[in-house]
Amino acid sequence: MSAIMIDGKAVAERIKAGLKVRVEKLQQSGKTPGLAVILVGSDPASRVYVNMKKKACAALGIYSEEYALAENTTETELLKLINDLNNNPNIHGILLQLPLPGHLDENKMLEAISPLKDVDGFHPVNVGKLMTGIPGFLPCTPAGVMDLIRESGISIAGKECVVVGRSNIVGKPQAILLLREHGTVTICHSRTPDLASVCRRADILVAAVGKAGLITAEMVKPGAVVIDVGVNRTPDGKLVGDVDFDQVYQVAGWITPVPGGVGPMTIAKLMENTVISAEN
Ligand code: GUN
C-alpha cells in the first residue's frame, strides 16, 4: 500500500484564491494590505524565501516593501527601521527574515516589532496568546501544517502526535497547536535517546529538523500522517525534506511531498496573516 499525497500547493492555492477576494474588498474600502520584509545580510536561502514572499504579495494585490540591509547593520539601525514601520499606516505586517547575522540579538529585534503587525507570530505577546489559546497571529509554518492535517480528514483529538524538532519557528509552536486540538503531544530533539521508537508511536508525525533522510520507514507507524517540514539540498542540488520519501511513502497513510507540501502553505499563511492585520 502507498500513502495518499497531501497536496500543499493545491491547498495553498485555494487559500490564496479566498484571500484575493478579501484583498479586493479591502481595496474597495480604500485600504491596501501592506507587508514590509526585512532581510539582513546575504544568506542565499533567505533571499529565495524573501523573493517568494514578495511574489505572492504581488499576485494577491498586497503592497510589499523590501528592506535589504547590509550584513554589518547595527542593532540601533535595525531598531530604527522597525520603529518606523511600526508607525507606518500603510504597513500592516512586518516580517524580519531569520536567521539574522550573529551580532544581532534575534529576540530583542523580534520584540521590537509591534505585536499588531507581527504576521510571523514570533513576538512574545503572540507566543503567549498561542500558549493560552487567545486569538493572535499564529506562526505561518505550524499553522499551515494544521491546515494540511485537517486536509487528511484525520481528527487530532486523542491522537499520538510526535513533533521532531524544537525550534521557536516550527517545533515548539507546532506542539502547542496540536495540543490545542487535544492531541497527545511529544516533542523529540537531538538529545532524545531512541528517536525511532518514539516516532513509531505517532499517528501524526511532524518532522522539522533540517536533516535529509532523518525519518526512515522503520520509524513510521503504518497508516500514520507524515508531515515533512524539512528543506534540505542534497549534494547534487535536489530539494528534499527530512523524510526519506520513497521509503516512507510505502508505509504512511498520508504524506506531504517536498517540494509542494508545507512550503507553499507557509507563504499562504503569511499572506493570510497580512490580510487579517489589514482587516483589523
Ligand atoms: N526563516 C525560516 N522560516 C522563517 C519564517 O517563517 N519567518 C521568518 N521571518 N524567517 C524564517
Side-chain angles (χ1 to χ4, degrees), residues 231-255:
V231 182
N232 311 291
R233 287 259 172 218
T234 61
D236 55 356
K238 199 176 156 217
L239 199 65
V240 296
D242 291 348
V243 175
D244 182 340
F245 185 88
D246 293 342
Q247 269 194 40
V248 172
Y249 180 68
Q250 311 295 328
V251 179
W254 290 264
I255 191 167

Side-chain angles (χ1 to χ4, degrees), residues 25-231:
K25 209 166 153 204
L26 280 164
Q27 280 168 342
Q28 278 158 17
S29 69
K31 197 181 209 179
T32 297
L35 176 69
V37 183
I38 309 171
L39 173 62
V40 188
S42 53
D43 178 64
S46 291
R47 166 45 67 196
V48 171
Y49 294 138
V50 164
N51 288 349
M52 284 173 9
K53 289 165 186 177
K54 279 165 45 191
K55 205 170 144 203
C57 283
L60 294 183
I62 295 173
Y63 167 72
S64 73
E65 283 177 359
E66 178 188 306
Y67 295 87
L69 307 183
E71 184 87 22
N72 63 359
T73 299
T74 64
E75 285 195 347
T76 310
E77 287 165 334
L78 185 51
L79 289 172
K80 160 93 173 57
L81 172 61
I82 292 170
N83 187 52
D84 289 347
L85 293 169
N86 283 341
N87 293 309
N88 181 340
N90 297 322
I91 294 299
H92 306 95
I94 303 170
L95 182 138
L96 179 59
Q97 187 65 34
L98 304 177
L100 295 177
H103 66 283
L104 297 173
D105 181 337
E106 213 159 88
N107 286 334
K108 190 171 156 192
M109 299 303 116
L110 291 174
E111 212 172 339
I113 296 172
S114 162
L116 299 173
K117 296 190 178 187
D118 170 39
V119 287
D120 251 331
F122 294 163
H123 190 284
V125 165
N126 285 315
V127 176
K129 287 182 174 179
L130 165 72
M131 288 289 287
T132 47
I134 297 169
F137 288 117
L138 297 179
C140 304
T141 300
V145 167
M146 297 306 283
D147 283 4
L148 292 182
I149 295 169
R150 272 180 221 115
E151 194 68 13
S152 73
I154 286 273
S155 74
I156 297 167
K159 296 281 161 48
E160 285 274 358
C161 305
V162 173
V163 179
V164 188
R166 55 173 157 177
S167 70
N168 289 338
I169 296 179
V170 185
K172 284 189 232 169
Q174 190 70 71
I176 300 301
L177 284 173
L178 289 163
L179 183 63
R180 275 172 47 164
E181 295 295 323
H182 318 290
T184 302
V185 184
T186 305
I187 307 179
C188 298
H189 47 77
S190 52
R191 308 273 179 99
T192 301
D194 187 359
L195 181 63
S197 71
V198 183
C199 287
R200 246 191 328 265
R201 294 206 308 251
D203 301 304
I204 297 169
L205 178 62
V206 181
V209 173
K211 203 168 166 193
L214 177 71
I215 306 295
T216 58
E218 299 74 47
M219 298 164 82
V220 175
K221 179 170 161 177
V225 180
V226 179
I227 307 284
D228 193 350
V229 183
V231 182

